[in-house]
Amino acid sequence: MARADRWNGWSAPSVRSAFTAAFAVVVVLVGLRLSAQGDSHAVSWLALPPLAASAFLPWRWVAGVGVASMAAAFAYLWVLNGFAVAEVASYGVDFLVVAVAVMIAAAVAIVRERDDDRLRKLTQLASVVQQAILRPIDDRLGPFDIAARYVSARSGAEIGGDLYEALGTEYGVRIIIGDVRGKGLDAVRLSSTVLGSFRHVAFERADQRCMITDLDHAVARNAGDEDFVTAILMQERGGTLEIVNCGHPPPMLVRDGVATYLEPESMAPPLGLNPSARELTVRLQPGDRIFLYTDGLAEARKDGEFFPIRERAWSLIGHGNVGDGLASLEAALRRWVGGPLADDIALLLLDYRPEAD
């Protein structure tokens, strides 16, 4: 398993493919140089393959490429000098050049593997911390079927501060989704602060506007001078959905095959910047779906074109199981982007089914 982990830790598949292609080109060029020149000093070109291999292969493979280069150097000189071993021995400097290149290439590969392993461990540690903060959400909460999904961009060890939570309280179902400015453990720490505060005030405050004030104070006490948290708070009571948007991408309502954004007349500033809460009220109908997401989805693009969330909402998340809907959305997004995502994404999908209570 450890060996497989090291192999998977070189880099992204696309990068490995690029380096493999470059390595093949180097080997071909060296072969052409040796076959076309008939020059004993051309053997020094055999130092290039192990150096190229050090960029993406494990050090043992690099050493193997180096041994193959040394063997090719001997065979080339042996044939060039009429199969006279004594003549081959006189080219010690050329052999030395190749040998030094092999040792340098192996050393580079060892350092690169250690850095890859360290980065992978940091990424795993950060992911464990984040998963501990984002605890699982119940599949059924009040009148809602709920699915949550965290889509990681896996950009090194820099995880995002995306957050979400859904709670059943005496005031109704209360939900938060948010995104901390910045990345890394500082963002996760602030995310933990927001979630901890929300899990407390959601059971204590009858008014969402008071909750916003409490959360804003919690962010202001724990954030840096330039830090803030975009967030949406929602609560459902008696079939009415009350939404407060603090600088976050608007939620989407999917109803009868049509997707519309639930946008207030004016948006409040993010948490940490003293937002004044403005509620948007929506009367729900059975079968309505509410889709919430962080800006990693809103800003996902391909060749400058943004992912068409609203246009594809009904076909991806408008019917069927809510968990399958989010899985389909993620698959479609990755196919559309065609490469690594630029940012982590938190997704929440709610299906309003009061008759199932």
Side-chain angles (χ1 to χ4, degrees):
M1 181 64 69
R3 182 176 302 175
D5 289 342
R6 285 197 298 270
W7 185 263
N8 290 331
W10 308 344
S11 56
S14 58
V15 177
R16 293 202 305 270
S17 299
F19 276 121
T20 302
F23 175 70
V25 170
V26 168
V27 171
V28 170
L29 290 176
V30 170
L32 292 175
R33 167 73 180 179
L34 295 177
S35 62
Q37 297 297 323
D39 178 7
S40 61
H41 295 294
V43 74
S44 299
W45 278 57
L46 285 165
L48 294 179
L51 290 174
S54 69
F56 68 104
L57 286 178
W59 74 266
R60 291 182 178 85
W61 287 61
V62 173
V65 173
V67 170
S69 293
M70 296 288 290
F74 178 84
Y76 175 76
L77 293 173
W78 189 46
V79 173
L80 189 64
N81 289 278
F83 305 100
V85 176
E87 290 293 331
V88 173
S90 64
Y91 295 97
V93 174
D94 297 293
F95 277 109
L96 182 61
V97 169
V98 179
V100 170
V102 172
M103 290 187 288
I104 293 174
V108 169
I110 290 172
V111 172
R112 178 183 50 76
E113 284 188 88
R114 288 177 179 173
D115 288 343
D116 284 348
D117 186 58
R118 187 181 300 111
L119 181 61
R120 184 170 56 254
K121 289 179 179 178
L122 286 173
T123 302
Q124 291 171 347
L125 175 61
S127 296
V128 168
V129 172
Q130 194 167 47
Q131 289 168 12
I133 294 172
L134 295 176
R135 61 192 186 189
I137 290 178
D138 292 337
D139 295 336
R140 180 73 185 176
L141 194 60
F144 292 111
D145 291 335
I146 304 180
R149 197 174 186 89
Y150 193 95
V151 182
S152 176
R154 295 290 181 186
S155 178
E158 290 195 334
I159 58 175
D162 300 44
L163 60 97
Y164 55 77
E165 182 61 285
L167 302 170
T169 75
E170 63 178 299
Y171 308 110
V173 175
R174 287 181 157 174
I175 295 167
I176 186 173
I177 188 168
D179 189 0
V180 178
R181 178 185 179 275
K183 295 182 180 295
L185 292 179
D186 287 340
V188 174
R189 189 179 300 112
L190 188 53
S191 170
S192 175
T193 297
V194 174
L195 286 174
S197 298
F198 175 77
R199 288 163 183 159
H200 173 71
V201 300
F203 293 94
E204 300 295 328
R205 298 292 194 181
D207 192 331
Q208 273 200 130
R209 290 169 293 184
C210 295
M211 291 173 57
I212 291 292
T213 300
D214 291 339
L215 294 175
D216 178 64
H217 290 166
V219 171
R221 284 193 300 267
N222 293 275
D225 292 339
E226 298 182 358
D227 293 335
F228 56 81
V229 181
T230 68
I232 288 177
L233 271 70
M234 298 195 322
Q235 66 179 15
E236 183 277 335
R237 291 188 289 189
T240 298
L241 191 66
E242 298 168 347
I243 305 169
V244 178
N245 192 330
C246 298
H248 198 80
M252 184 181 295
L253 170 66
V254 182
R255 174 185 291 172
D256 297 330
V258 179
T260 55
Y261 290 114
L262 301 177
E263 298 182 273
E265 293 183 3
S266 59
M267 190 178 298
L271 300 176
L273 300 179
N274 193 27
S276 54
R278 301 175 178 86
E279 284 189 333
L280 173 67
T281 301
V282 178
R283 187 66 185 174
L284 295 175
Q285 299 177 8
D288 283 352
R289 293 203 166 181
I290 308 298
F291 178 48
L292 302 103
Y293 51 92
T294 53
D295 61 5
L297 177 63
E299 296 175 0
R301 67 186 73 187
K302 177 182 68 176
D303 299 328
E305 182 181 357
F306 291 101
F307 181 69
I309 308 171
R310 186 169 62 179
E311 291 79 359
R312 302 190 61 179
W314 175 253
S315 63
L316 294 173
I317 60 173
H319 48 82
N321 180 278
V322 285
D324 292 342
L326 290 186
S328 298
L329 175 68
E330 179 184 351
L333 174 66
R334 292 190 181 277
R335 285 195 302 268
W336 190 85
V337 172
L341 299 173
D343 194 6
D344 289 2
I345 303 171
L347 304 172
L348 278 176
L349 182 60
L350 293 78
D351 188 4
Y352 182 65
R353 297 194 176 275
E355 70 278 3
D357 283 351

